[in-house]
Amino acid sequence: MPKLSYREASLAAVQQSMRSDPAVWCVGEDLGRGGVFGQYKGLREEFGEARISDAPISEAAIMGAALGAAMMGTRPIVEMRFSDFALCATDELVNQIAKARFMFGGQSRAPMVIRKPMGLWRSSAAQHSQSLESWYAHIPGLVVACPGTPQDNYSMLKAAIACDDPVVYLEHKGIWDIEGDVDFSEEFEFGKARIRRAGSDVTIVSWSNTANIAVEAADTLTEKGVSAEVVDLRSLWPWDKTAVLTSVAKTGHLVVAHESVAVAGFGAEVIATVAEKAGHTLKGPVRRLGAPRSLVSYAPNLEDQLRVTSEMIVTAAQDTLEKAS
Amino acid sequence: MTSAGHNYERGRSLLQMMERIRAFEEQACLAAERDKLVLGAIHPSIGQEAVAAGIMHNLSKEDILLSTHRGHGHTLAKGASSLAMMRELLGREGGCCGGKGGSMHIADFSVGMLGANGVVGANITIAAGAAHAIRLLGDNRIVVDIFGDGAVNRGPFLEGINWAVVFKLPILFVCEDNQYSATTKTKTMTGGDGAAARAASLGMRSTVVDGNDVEAIADTMTDIAARLRDGGPPEFLHAKTYRRMGHTSFDPAAYRPEGEAVEEEKKNDPIERQRAILRAVGMTEDDIQLLHQNAQKEMIDILQKAAGTPFPASDTAFIDVQDIGSPAVEAY
Ligand SMILES: Cc1ncc(C[n+]2csc(CCOP(=O)(O)OP(=O)(O)O)c2C)c(N)n1
Ligand SMILES: [Mg+2]
């Protein structure tokens, strides 16, 4: 089993998919040079200019043209560079791509992957650091993926490329270099969480890089004699309600943690669902961790004010356990 | 146009198509006002039929078309069924979009009509992408993208046209300039020398044509289509016409100078102009009337049929949203 970085895992997924399906092609700014994060390195040499296509700095056209090309039977992978810039193509994604199949009565499909690297990334400030996954989870027609590990960035990207629905694929740009074993035979099914740590005292639900931080927190909790279960949702639409409800039924305690703003974040959706379906089984108060409803700064100490840390997750888990009824 | 060199059969079929578009929209307006069967907004193209007829005459069903909220004429001329279209306007089963789209999202992929669009200017980048796919797939089809004069002030106009130029795509952009954007005279809100000049500034070959002269449009389009099929670069056509009705069928357009629309109808109706051309080359009054009556009859019939068609099954509200995470399985 190869040890790959998060970046290399995505590269392998794209490369393998392009080898096996000639309809797959990539389009975005600076792809020919390997992409801003090197996640397309070497692909131009193998697949040529037409299939690893550069683009003008025209996010709306990249997104809109990819839809036109998808409706014609090709399978574009759209690179938005930073998820923040995808906001320049909001109409194309929300009004066009997400609706192209439904509003034409099923005459068309939009099989495409929209890669949008998101998240905090060393002093990048307010316009290069956002995590807006909850926006996309709110839009009918879209599938939303938030891989947090090299294995998932391989398996999930392969599944996204093979999927006939438009997939908003939110890699976390702070973890391109993290490494891990990648099993090329592992297949991802949307809506299936991964239990990153099994445990019996408290359930920690997370995704993307915060799931990695939750795993650290679980290790600390183990040292303190608390057995925490970390549920990495991996895809937010569809999301694995069964895994969450099963875990909560066992532990009776729930902590939800994500990097994006807590207010109206996807954590609220998870907690509302638990409240509706299993509220009576909870033994302690639910804890929600997300960024304050504030903006990301440049100065590192200010940037850190918005981070959800391993210590915060540990404290939240201990808190709900202490308040057990 | 003299009789020497005039293609009579083509001229007749252009007139026939314009008659069908006019009759379809007249019936659609009646279905809205008189019958209250069309519930959403419809945007008639009455007086602009020459653009649809002249351009689509040069396309096959394999070629691709994208259109706007004012797209009935384009869709019919591309070969869509008038009955399926009317059913769509009435939100009925068997409508081209199963009653999910209505007038503003009318589409018939089986004849290469990839959709009208409810967002002004949005079809421009999508159409460029359809042409991009044709380049990737390596076939000989061409794409026509039609939008209004108001769309030239949106960002996708710049992005989509530049895209087509840099990738040398087989596409024609048509600005169907009816001089109005909703209730605003477009030129009061548009800088520079207009749509064609803007396209030309991006390196695109641009042609201006009388948008009420169906023969001129068809001639121009024959040449453009040949160049595109030959691998030529993308082109732009600015067709100048006039919106005879209000923005929607419900809009009395009281903001227009008095008499403007009546004057336009009198001197510039594309159907009357084509009749005059055909009369001059020997078309009989009987034949002219026959085309008119056949079109009327077809559209009265399909309205009646559409009105007798049931609404779609309720559960289709949850079909064709997405496969993965479908609301038919679990809405939340
Ligand atoms: C992005 C956007 N802004 C505003 C509207 C509302 N709207 C619908 S049609 C229209 C006028 C469009 O004018 P034009 O492009 O000239 O087309 P026409 O209606 O004349 O055919 C407006 C403002 C819209 N649908 N989309
Ligand atoms: Mg207009």
Side-chain angles (χ1 to χ4, degrees):
Chain A
M1 217 186 292
K3 202 178 191 63
L4 297 180
S5 68
Y6 187 77
R7 171 193 296 105
E8 289 162 342
S10 76
L11 192 57
V14 173
Q15 184 180 44
Q16 290 173 20
S17 301
M18 289 186 74
R19 282 179 184 164
S20 62
D21 185 351
V24 177
W25 62 293
C26 303
V27 60
E29 298 151 19
D30 300 305
L31 293 200
R33 309 276 311 255
V36 230
F37 298 105
Q39 72 275 49
Y40 296 85
K41 219 168 191 72
L43 295 179
R44 168 63 72 77
E45 290 71 12
E46 178 172 353
F47 298 107
E49 266 181 44
R51 289 182 72 198
I52 299 293
S53 182
D54 285 328
I57 306 166
S58 300
E59 282 72 17
I62 296 171
M63 197 80 94
L67 171 61
M71 295 198 304
M72 295 285 287
T74 72
R75 304 181 78 87
I77 298 174
V78 171
E79 177 57 56
M80 279 285 127
R81 197 180 188 116
F82 278 62
S83 67
D84 313 75
F85 309 146
L87 302 184
C88 301
T90 305
D91 174 60
E92 286 69 20
L93 179 63
V94 176
N95 277 327
Q96 310 298 334
I97 292 171
K99 298 175 173 58
R101 177 175 169 190
F102 181 83
M103 77 184 181
F104 300 137
Q107 296 184 76
S108 77
R109 297 262 172 154
M112 52 199 289
V113 181
I114 301 116
R115 291 177 80 176
K116 300 183 172 189
M118 68 167 181
L120 294 165
W121 185 57
R122 54 167 184 79
S123 287
S124 297
Q127 294 175 335
H128 291 70
S129 302
Q130 294 168 91
S131 292
L132 296 176
E133 69 274 19
S134 64
W135 287 26
Y136 305 112
H138 194 73
I139 311 297
L142 300 178
V143 172
V144 184
C146 299
T149 65
Q151 176 68 61
D152 284 339
N153 209 17
Y154 171 79
S155 308
M156 291 176 68
L157 189 48
K158 275 201 100 173
I161 297 167
C163 172
D164 284 340
D165 295 318
V167 180
V168 175
Y169 196 84
L170 298 151
E171 284 148 304
H172 195 293
K173 60 187 177 291
I175 56 174
W176 288 114
D177 292 322
I178 63 165
E179 293 193 334
D181 291 335
V182 175
D183 177 356
F184 285 156
S185 71
E186 187 182 306
E187 289 184 11
F188 173 70
E189 192 185 327
F190 284 101
K192 285 276 176 284
R194 188 195 294 280
I195 307 299
R196 297 276 297 272
R197 281 282 185 283
S200 51
D201 296 333
V202 56
T203 300
I204 305 170
V205 176
S206 193
W207 54 89
S208 188
N209 188 37
T210 311
N212 300 327
I213 297 167
V215 169
E216 271 174 49
D219 290 344
T220 307
L221 285 163
T222 307
E223 289 162 21
K224 296 177 188 286
V226 173
S227 165
E229 179 146 292
V230 178
V231 181
D232 181 350
L233 290 182
R234 306 196 287 175
S235 64
L236 297 194
W237 192 264
W239 68 282
D240 197 342
K241 299 178 188 73
T242 307
V244 172
L245 293 168
T246 305
S247 181
V248 170
K250 179 169 66 178
T251 64
H253 292 276
L254 175 64
V255 175
V256 177
H258 53 75
E259 185 177 307
S260 43
V261 168
V263 174
F266 198 75
E269 178 66 25
V270 173
I271 292 167
T273 302
V274 171
E276 278 179 335
K277 306 208 167 161
H280 57 287
T281 68
L282 288 170
K283 293 186 268 189
V286 166
R287 285 287 169 256
R288 169 169 54 151
L289 296 169
R293 195 172 178 286
S294 185
L295 298 168
V296 180
S297 299
Y298 175 78
N301 63 317
L302 302 184
E303 186 186 71
D304 283 347
Q305 298 299 309
L306 275 73
R307 262 177 221 283
V308 170
T309 62
S310 161
E311 294 70 35
M312 288 159 72
I313 297 173
V314 169
T315 306
Q318 288 173 322
D319 185 51
T320 174
L321 287 166
E322 271 163 29
K323 297 197 170 111
S325 48
Chain B
M1 185 77 51
T2 59
S3 58
H6 181 258
N7 181 339
Y8 182 78
E9 276 316 307
R10 187 187 77 168
R12 187 178 183 277
S13 108
L14 291 169
L15 175 61
Q16 182 175 33
M17 184 54 75
M18 290 196 292
E19 289 278 12
R20 289 184 66 224
I21 297 169
R22 176 78 52 93
F24 179 89
E25 292 202 310
E26 284 172 352
Q27 290 304 311
C29 289
L30 285 173
E33 256 112 305
R34 177 193 66 194
D35 306 336
K36 314 281 182 251
L37 288 171
V38 171
L39 300 172
I42 55 170
H43 303 83
S45 64
I46 285 174
Q48 306 175 202
E49 297 89 347
V51 178
I55 286 174
M56 255 43 86
H57 192 77
N58 288 277
L59 298 183
S60 76
K61 289 192 164 127
E62 282 68 43
D63 292 319
I64 301 298
L65 168 71
L66 283 91
S67 171
T68 70
H69 57 284
R70 205 176 299 284
H72 305 148
H74 312 142
T75 309
L76 196 63
K78 191 67 173 58
S81 138
S82 54
L83 175 59
M85 287 177 61
M86 192 60 86
R87 282 181 169 143
E88 191 58 35
L89 266 54
L90 270 56
R92 303 305 167 103
E93 200 175 84
C96 6
C97 305
K100 289 175 173 175
S103 165
M104 264 189 282
H105 305 305
I106 207 144
D108 185 346
F109 280 59
S110 71
V111 299
M113 198 307 183
L114 268 47
N117 209 302
V119 178
V120 169
N123 64 11
I124 300 177
T125 61
I126 303 171
H132 204 121
I134 290 173
R135 272 281 180 275
L136 285 168
L137 299 167
D139 63 53
N140 192 34
R141 289 175 291 172
I142 65 175
V143 177
V144 170
D145 180 47
I146 306 182
F147 45 83
D149 40 304
V152 309
N153 289 325
R154 284 214 61 229
F157 178 84
L158 171 73
E159 293 197 14
I161 286 179
N162 181 60
W163 189 282
V165 170
V166 297
F167 291 108
K168 302 187 181 60
L169 302 177
I171 183 168
L172 170 67
F173 295 103
V174 181
C175 178
E176 184 170 324
D177 179 356
N178 60 14
Q179 305 178 35
Y180 282 90
S181 310
T183 67
T184 300
K185 192 87 183 159
T186 306
K187 74 170 182 225
T188 65
M189 287 289 132
T190 306
D193 295 329
R198 285 191 187 179
S201 79
L202 294 166
M204 187 172 277
R205 179 170 179 162
S206 300
T207 310
V208 182
V209 69
D210 176 348
N212 285 27
D213 181 345
V214 73
E215 299 270 358
I217 297 167
D219 285 344
T220 308
M221 184 60 198
T222 304
D223 295 343
I224 293 173
R227 290 195 291 266
L228 292 177
R229 283 191 213 284
D230 225 30
E235 299 205 23
F236 193 90
L237 183 64
H238 185 176
K240 295 189 168 173
T241 176
Y242 181 80
R243 195 193 76 201
R244 286 244 297 273
M245 296 188 61
H247 176 52
T248 64
S249 66
F250 298 108
D251 169 20
Y255 43 83
R256 276 192 310 219
E258 206 170 311
E260 187 184 85
V262 177
E263 187 60 21
E264 268 293 325
E265 176 172 5
K266 240 191 319 196
K267 64 168 208 276
N268 218 2
D269 181 67
I271 292 181
E272 282 307 336
R273 284 178 61 178
Q274 184 62 2
R275 284 176 173 169
I277 286 172
L278 290 169
R279 266 190 208 107
V281 294
M283 188 171 188
T284 64
E285 229 33 64
D286 280 355
D287 198 18
I288 286 173
Q289 280 313 310
L290 183 74
L291 292 189
H292 179 71
Q293 279 154 11
N294 284 351
Q296 293 290 322
K297 185 175 175 322
E298 175 191 351
M299 302 309 170
I300 290 169
D301 281 357
I302 57 118
L303 174 56
Q304 204 174 18
K305 268 210 188 94
T309 311
F311 286 107
S314 300
D315 63 354
T316 61
F318 303 107
I319 304 294
D320 279 323
V321 176
Q322 55 195 119
D323 292 331
I324 296 194
S326 164
V329 178
E330 194 168 19
Y332 67 95

